[in-house]
Amino acid sequence: IDMEWAAFHVVEVMSMPRFAQKKIGYLAASQSFHEGIDVLLLITNQLRKDLTSASEYEASLALECISRIATPDLSRDLTPEIFTMLSSSRLPV
């Protein structure tokens, strides 16, 4: 799906504090973002923040999104957080 025109709006919705809005943003990102889209660099910090969130639901949203849109650079940047999740007893993993 070509949604490059809405990519910045998707990033904004991903960073909203309410879970319902965040969920919609992550769904849009996981279905429309690809390796060539420019905003992947912008979501790295948001993914990192949600992976380390106290909320299991936010962490699982970020983990699912990464599984669909991961690039070599994004994977390299988020590897420490993912390994931390794998070694924890949190439910999303």
Side-chain angles (χ1 to χ4, degrees), residues 5-17:
W5 57 272
F8 285 106
H9 298 293
V10 170
V11 173
E12 287 178 359
V13 175
M14 287 172 68
S15 63
M16 298 252 178

Side-chain angles (χ1 to χ4, degrees), residues 57-70:
Y57 300 111
E58 289 179 5
S60 64
L61 281 178
L63 196 58
E64 186 273 333
C65 186
I66 292 168
S67 73
R68 294 177 180 261
I69 67 168

Side-chain angles (χ1 to χ4, degrees), residues 30-57:
S30 66
Q31 291 184 351
S32 63
F33 285 5
H34 52 83
E35 188 170 347
I37 202 158
D38 295 333
V39 297
L40 282 181
L41 292 174
L42 298 175
I43 67 167
T44 304
N45 285 334
Q46 183 62 43
L47 287 166
R48 183 176 288 120
K49 177 183 167 193
D50 288 336
L51 282 173
T52 58
S53 170
S55 168
E56 295 174 350
Y57 300 111

